[in-house]
Amino acid sequence: MNRVRERREEQRDKLVRAAEAAIARQGLSSLKARDLAREIGVALGAIYNLVADLDEVILRVGGLTLDRLDLALSAATEGASALSPEQHLVVIATTYRRFAAENLHLWRALFEHRLPEDKPLPEWAVGNQTRLFRHIHAPLSVLMPEAKEVDRTAFSLTLFGAVHGVVAFGLEGRVVGVPADDIDGELSRLVRLVCVGLRRGRSGMNDQP
Amino acid sequence: MNRVRERREEQRDKLVRAAEAAIARQGLSSLKARDLAREIGVALGAIYNLVADLDEVILRVGGLTLDRLDLALSAATEGASALSPEQHLVVIATTYRRFAAENLHLWRALFEHRLPEDKPLPEWAVGNQTRLFRHIHAPLSVLMPEAKEVDRTAFSLTLFGAVHGVVAFGLEGRVVGVPADDIDGELSRLVRLVCVGLRRGRSGMNDQP
DNA sequence: TGTACATCAGTGAACGCGCGTTCACTGATGTAC
DNA sequence: TGTACATCAGTGAACGCGCGTTCACTGATGTAC
């Protein structure tokens, strides 16, 4: 009956939410099946009626995180038509930085989690990311009007990677000490420099590889 | 006696080398105390006469990896006086990419490994990284002649982070599909754009944070 | 050179812990008539 | 509405595995005389 499936999905949602909260609080490595079961008020074995395994839970949490990131980026660039592409890109970068800082553990989980190489990403989990690149793609089109589409797409990825790298280095505190407050400044410098390069250089054509 | 300490250090070196080989082959998560003991031909307990724990082993392997990276960068930029700062930076970036690709697991281990937050980095492990930034710092000084020193240092880190991010996204295959061959092209594009920005823009002064 | 003793590298079984997943069973819920 | 039956969510003890680290003990090696 439908009643049953509805409840099933509600339960699964509770499970995923509980996992999200757990990761947000303690980090991915502290996620335990027993904790989740207790949290949603069922026996240990029951969670395997809701999901195949913990990997699925983690992937679903990742989906939620990407959703929220997407939302944050959309909100930040709302009415972006008033912004220059440079400003637009700076806003994206700093919004990303803030999102990462405010969702540190969830954001890390996105990159820490690696599923056993034999089993592939389930299809419902694919394409969560792709959507994010459209945020970069739009302003980039203005800055690279004469570039080929593939080229723009490739560079979206590059730019995203670059911003991500700066944010990661900044937030992990892994490399020497980075004054956390300066990250936004550095991001904005980096993005603006690239934009200057795009405008005044050779339009970012990728010759001489 | 000295004989004893010598042997101790030889043994420890063997241990670390074995760990290096193990990580290189299988990745950090496959590193096992029992494997290491077997590999260097001692009993399990003996390795705790050589090191405090596995964390120490991993940190020492990380040190070796950073040493080799440093070496690779030095070799690649030897006689760099003939290169423009732009070319110099591009060489650094692509050398980094190649090193990461050729030492995938060891390179990953550098970032995956996180020691329990209560115990701090032992002092012999500090400052392994700092050294690397001098490679970036030199050409950057030419491109940012009028910037303050702190500013240049901060931007070294930013640039390194950006390059690292692009490489990481490229090599992890985490985000959609990146044609591996294009990474160097993208790196060179990114670096050259930044350089164009530095030369023609406002010298990378970091106003309007 | 030889002997008694101290040190400490080396041994490997056992400790201690953690934890994802399974499975035989139960009981509530829905279905058929 | 009531009864017999089927389904399957839910249970939680047990399985199975992995693994870092410790520790009481041994024996080789160096030291003192």
Side-chain angles (χ1 to χ4, degrees):
Chain A
M1 205 208 181
N2 234 358
R3 226 14 208 287
V4 168
R5 228 201 11 234
E6 261 177 41
R7 174 167 168 81
R8 229 178 104 100
E9 261 157 39
E10 272 168 29
Q11 287 283 80
R12 182 162 71 188
D13 200 59
K14 276 173 67 178
L15 181 71
V16 174
R17 292 296 175 180
E20 186 182 33
I23 294 174
R25 195 151 37 80
Q26 304 263 26
L28 182 57
S29 63
S30 308
L31 190 71
K32 313 292 174 196
R34 282 165 181 79
D35 293 348
L36 292 181
R38 184 165 7 88
E39 194 68 36
I40 67 172
V42 300
L44 180 56
I47 68 180
Y48 294 90
N49 288 334
L50 306 172
V51 292
D53 51 29
L54 282 197
D55 279 334
E56 180 178 338
V57 177
I58 296 169
L59 286 173
R60 288 190 186 277
V61 171
L64 293 180
T65 305
L66 290 175
D67 284 348
R68 291 189 305 111
L69 173 57
D70 190 38
L71 223 62
L73 290 174
S74 296
T77 58
E78 203 156 81
S81 48
L83 297 177
S84 68
E86 284 85 346
Q87 293 171 316
H88 194 149
L89 287 172
V90 168
V91 168
I92 291 173
T94 55
T95 301
Y96 182 70
R97 199 276 309 152
R98 186 176 0 182
F99 182 87
E102 287 174 354
N103 298 274
L104 192 56
H105 284 140
L106 288 166
W107 171 73
R108 271 188 197 155
L110 246 27
F111 302 95
E112 280 176 14
H113 179 242
R114 184 174 297 269
L115 40 82
E117 53 201 80
D118 44 352
K119 77 172 163 183
L121 207 62
E123 54 174 316
W124 52 260
V126 184
N128 263 332
Q129 327 148 322
T130 326
R131 187 165 28 114
L132 289 174
F133 289 96
R134 72 162 199 279
H135 291 284
I136 299 187
H137 204 267
L140 221 47
S141 296
V142 182
L143 289 168
M144 304 168 72
E146 52 210 58
K148 277 180 269 161
E149 183 57 25
V150 271
D151 228 32
R152 266 198 297 265
T153 302
F155 194 62
S156 302
L157 221 106
T158 299
L159 197 51
F160 194 76
V163 167
H164 171 81
V166 173
V167 171
F169 268 32
L171 293 185
E172 300 297 353
R174 174 136 238 135
V175 186
V176 294
V178 189
D181 312 328
D182 298 354
I183 304 178
D184 276 357
E186 287 297 318
L187 282 174
S188 126
R189 167 151 72 171
L190 177 71
V191 170
R192 277 187 283 128
L193 280 174
V194 168
C195 291
V196 172
L198 282 173
R199 288 230 194 241
R200 304 201 199 171
R202 282 152 326 195
S203 309
M205 295 303 277
N206 199 2
D207 43 32
Q208 186 183 331
Chain B
M1 204 208 180
N2 233 358
R3 219 29 200 283
V4 169
R5 235 215 348 249
E6 262 177 42
R7 175 167 167 80
R8 229 178 106 101
E9 262 156 38
E10 273 168 30
Q11 287 283 80
R12 183 162 73 188
D13 200 58
K14 276 173 68 178
L15 181 72
V16 174
R17 293 295 174 179
E20 185 182 34
I23 294 174
R25 196 152 36 81
Q26 304 263 26
L28 183 58
S29 64
S30 308
L31 190 71
K32 313 293 175 194
R34 283 166 181 77
D35 292 349
L36 292 181
R38 185 166 6 87
E39 194 68 37
I40 67 170
V42 299
L44 179 56
I47 67 180
Y48 293 92
N49 288 333
L50 306 172
V51 292
D53 51 28
L54 282 196
D55 278 334
E56 180 178 339
V57 177
I58 296 168
L59 286 173
R60 288 190 186 278
V61 171
L64 293 179
T65 305
L66 290 176
D67 284 348
R68 290 190 305 113
L69 173 56
D70 190 37
L71 222 63
L73 290 175
S74 295
T77 57
E78 205 157 80
S81 47
L83 297 177
S84 69
E86 284 85 346
Q87 292 171 316
H88 194 148
L89 287 171
V90 168
V91 168
I92 290 172
T94 54
T95 301
Y96 182 71
R97 198 276 310 152
R98 187 178 357 184
F99 181 88
E102 288 174 352
N103 299 273
L104 191 55
H105 284 140
L106 288 167
W107 171 73
R108 270 189 198 155
L110 248 25
F111 302 95
E112 279 177 15
H113 179 242
R114 184 173 298 268
L115 39 83
E117 53 199 83
D118 42 354
K119 77 173 163 181
L121 206 61
E123 53 174 316
W124 52 261
V126 183
N128 263 332
Q129 327 148 323
T130 326
R131 188 164 29 113
L132 288 174
F133 289 96
R134 71 160 201 280
H135 291 285
I136 300 186
H137 204 268
L140 221 47
S141 296
V142 181
L143 289 168
M144 305 169 72
E146 52 210 56
K148 278 179 270 163
E149 182 56 27
V150 271
D151 227 33
R152 266 199 296 263
T153 302
F155 194 62
S156 301
L157 220 106
T158 299
L159 197 51
F160 194 77
V163 167
H164 172 80
V166 173
V167 171
F169 268 33
L171 293 185
E172 299 299 352
R174 173 133 239 134
V175 187
V176 294
V178 189
D181 313 326
D182 298 354
I183 304 178
D184 276 356
E186 287 298 318
L187 282 175
S188 126
R189 168 151 72 174
L190 177 70
V191 170
R192 278 187 281 129
L193 281 174
V194 168
C195 291
V196 171
L198 282 174
R199 290 228 194 241
R200 305 201 197 173
R202 281 152 326 194
S203 311
M205 296 301 280
N206 199 1
D207 43 31
Q208 185 185 330

